[in-house]
Amino acid sequence: MGKWALCGVETVGGKGGVALLILRLVSGAAFIQHGWPKFQHAFNWMGADATVPAFLQALAAVSEFGGGIALMLGLLSRLAALGIACVMLFAIFMVHLPKGDPFVSTGGSSYELAAVYLAMMLVFILRGPGQYALDALICRKKK
């Protein structure tokens, strides 16, 4: 893994670091919850009629469940966020938009939550997990 993936940009500290910690903990917990049922049936969680190959279903399950754990720990955060971002892009462009779901709905299906999660993951990809993360601890020891 290249330097950028773990230690590439200056670590966000202070109040920004606390904000990233809160964002990581909340989004990580959500993805552990979303991913656990999929992880238990990794190769067929979409059902018998799914057109998505089994290995991609498993990759999504690992991205959500494992990525949620990694985000909460702040370990390999950019890689975890990248996996989750790919799952959210798939959800938006292959599920919600083809069904005609609106961005925000007053009671039906929408792609609002997937877009919000995608935006959160882009923050972690671009800025990292902040100073209160194992990634930051590892990078500090390397210097």
Side-chain angles (χ1 to χ4, degrees):
M1 187 175 309
K3 182 179 176 187
W4 188 86
L6 191 60
C7 305
V9 294
E10 185 177 319
T11 301
V12 176
K15 291 178 184 177
V18 173
L20 287 171
L21 172 64
I22 293 167
L23 196 62
R24 278 194 357 259
L25 292 175
V26 171
S27 63
F31 276 103
I32 290 170
Q33 292 291 311
H34 281 290
W36 177 243
K38 295 171 185 162
F39 192 74
Q40 290 177 312
H41 306 284
F43 292 96
N44 63 354
W45 62 267
M46 291 181 142
D49 296 334
T51 59
V52 177
F55 79 94
L56 288 179
Q57 292 182 52
L59 193 57
V62 170
S63 293
E64 288 189 8
F65 183 68
I69 293 169
L71 283 177
M72 289 189 80
L73 296 173
L75 182 63
L76 300 174
S77 304
R78 286 189 169 98
L79 182 61
L82 178 62
I84 293 171
C86 289
V87 173
M88 294 303 100
L89 285 167
F90 183 90
I92 292 168
F93 289 103
M94 301 304 288
V95 177
H96 293 291
L97 291 179
K99 286 186 351 188
D101 290 344
F103 175 57
V104 177
S105 175
T106 58
S109 184
S110 74
Y111 64 94
E112 172 185 8
L113 187 56
V116 170
Y117 282 143
L118 175 60
M120 293 165 71
M121 295 308 112
L122 290 174
V123 168
F124 297 130
I125 291 167
L126 296 172
R127 289 303 300 155
Q131 76 177 23
Y132 304 108
L134 289 177
D135 286 347
L137 182 65
I138 292 166
C139 290
R140 248 180 285 165
K141 286 186 177 183
K142 283 184 176 181
K143 291 181 180 178

